[in-house]
């Protein structure tokens, strides 16, 4: 190719425009980029279920590249750790503990622990508590939500109402704690 042929502006001959790009339903990236996604197996399962013709093309490409080298394909690691999976703790009995801690001279905060053992997203729960009590609420530590104000008595009614899998017997009052 001469240099003039390389720098030709406009559409390329033999290509139909506009280009159609098919996106993955699992990772929402174009299909050719799915292999760089951390959960590539889920992408392949989605592709096999929803777009079998594209999955067959992918399988043909996979078999040709596997024959070229026996080494396992290494994933590209750039830009940090990617999607980190949280480790679920199954230690001890499932129980929600509610306590009150002082904050300054006359103010206090309510501390809720143990919600993550029931599979509840702590950020969602903190936002719910903040909206319900019209106060600040945040996640601190691994399994701890701090709610501004003394709302300990109201939590005994609200938690089982919002999350039915938490029974009244599984909520324990620890009383006043020092922070």
């Amino acid at each position: 190719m001469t240099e003039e042929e390389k720098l030709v502006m406009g559409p390329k001959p033999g290509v139909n425009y506009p280009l159609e790009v098919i996106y993955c339903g699992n990772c929402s990236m174009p299909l050719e980029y799915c292999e760089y996604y951390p959960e590539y197996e889920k992408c392949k399962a989605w592709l096999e279920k929803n777009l079998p013709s594209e999955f067959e093309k992918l399988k043909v490409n996979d078999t040709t590249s596997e024959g070229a080298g026996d080494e396992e394909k290494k994933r590209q690691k750039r830009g940090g750790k990617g999607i980190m999976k949280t480790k679920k703790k199954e230690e001890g009995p499932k129980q929600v503990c509610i306590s009150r801690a002082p904050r300054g001279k006359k103010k206090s905060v309510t501390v809720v622990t143990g919600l993550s053992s029931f599979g509840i997203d702590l950020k969602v729960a903190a936002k719910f508590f903040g909206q319900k009590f019209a106060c600040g609420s945040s996640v601190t530590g691994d399994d701890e939500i701090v709610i501004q104000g003394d709302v300990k008595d109201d939590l005994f009614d609200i938690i089982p109402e919002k999350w039915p899998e938490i029974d009244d017997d599984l909520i324990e009052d620890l009383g006043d704690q020092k922070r």
Side-chain angles (χ1 to χ4, degrees):
M1 283 183 129
T2 64
E3 206 168 304
E4 290 179 9
E5 291 176 353
K6 291 181 185 177
L7 301 176
V8 174
M9 297 289 287
K12 293 183 180 180
V15 178
N16 295 328
Y17 291 96
L19 296 176
E20 288 187 25
V21 179
I22 302 172
Y23 293 95
C24 176
N26 184 47
C27 65
S28 71
M29 295 193 300
L31 296 179
E32 55 267 13
Y33 294 107
C34 283
E35 65 182 289
Y36 302 111
Y37 191 68
E39 298 173 351
Y40 179 52
E41 296 303 320
K42 289 183 180 179
C43 292
K44 281 174 49 175
W46 181 89
L47 190 62
E48 183 178 19
K49 180 181 175 190
N50 296 307
L51 299 170
S53 61
E54 295 295 323
F55 181 71
E56 290 299 322
K57 292 178 189 176
L58 181 70
K59 280 178 54 176
V60 169
N61 291 342
D62 281 351
T63 57
T64 58
S65 65
E66 283 178 20
D70 293 333
E71 294 181 23
E72 187 177 319
K73 191 172 188 178
K74 293 185 179 178
R75 295 198 165 266
Q76 179 179 4
K77 292 187 179 181
R78 250 195 225 176
K81 298 179 180 177
I83 298 173
M84 299 295 292
K85 294 184 180 179
T86 57
K87 296 177 183 175
K88 293 186 178 179
K89 296 180 180 177
E90 294 295 329
E91 305 161 1
K94 290 184 173 183
Q95 193 166 21
V96 177
C97 299
I98 300 173
S99 62
R100 192 179 65 158
R103 186 186 75 125
K105 293 183 179 178
K106 295 183 179 179
K107 298 185 180 193
S108 62
V109 294
T110 305
V111 180
V112 181
T113 57
L115 286 176
S116 65
S117 64
F118 289 94
I120 297 170
D121 187 14
L122 294 180
K123 289 184 180 181
V124 173
K127 186 170 184 177
F128 170 74
F129 292 142
Q131 290 175 346
K132 186 73 176 176
F133 300 120
C135 64
S137 177
S138 63
V139 178
T140 59
D142 287 340
D143 186 18
E144 183 178 74
I145 297 176
V146 175
I147 306 167
Q148 292 180 359
D150 184 9
V151 293
K152 183 172 67 171
D153 297 332
D154 298 334
L155 285 174
F156 288 104
D157 300 328
I158 290 172
I159 290 176
E161 183 181 311
K162 173 74 175 168
W163 297 284
E165 65 267 18
I166 302 175
D167 195 30
D168 291 337
D169 301 333
L170 299 175
I171 301 175
E172 182 182 351
D173 184 5
L174 298 179
D176 290 352
Q177 300 283 322
K178 291 185 178 179
R179 281 190 54 92

